[in-house]
Amino acid sequence: MAFDEDLAQRIRELLPDTDERRMFGGIGFLVAGNMCCGVRGAELLARVGPEAAATDEPGTRPFEMAGRTSRGWVMVAAEAVAEDADLERWVRRCEAFAARLPPKRSG
């Protein structure tokens, strides 16, 4: 699956010191080795944590893969992150969650 390279570049500008990996049919951005957010198709894959009720927000839906819903992850429609301020709000939210997790070593 191809992913929106423009959206990925906008995330790179917000998270310049993160690692990137191809995953989930797109690209993922890691903070201290933990998945933070990503791009799948034209949408933002947002890791917000299992306690978040992010699917109540406009332009979001649960993240499903292989018929299973992943708790703590949401897909955010391209229209909901078209404005830089909206994308930054989502990315910072994901970054804050990932930063709370214990660091993972790469490799």
Side-chain angles (χ1 to χ4, degrees), residues 3-68:
F3 63 90
D4 184 332
E5 183 60 46
D6 291 333
L7 179 56
Q9 183 57 39
R10 291 171 60 211
I11 295 170
R12 286 182 190 107
E13 291 169 9
L14 293 168
L15 299 172
D17 298 321
T18 60
D19 293 325
E20 298 178 21
R21 288 212 181 105
R22 298 263 177 170
M23 55 179 53
F24 302 121
I27 190 166
F29 296 88
L30 291 82
V31 171
N34 292 296
M35 177 72 168
C36 169
C37 62
V39 180
R40 191 165 194 238
E43 296 179 297
L44 174 70
L45 172 57
R47 185 176 191 185
V48 293
E51 68 282 351
T55 55
D56 294 344
E57 297 186 36
T60 65
R61 62 182 171 79
F63 171 53
E64 294 182 7
M65 190 164 172
R68 296 185 64 176

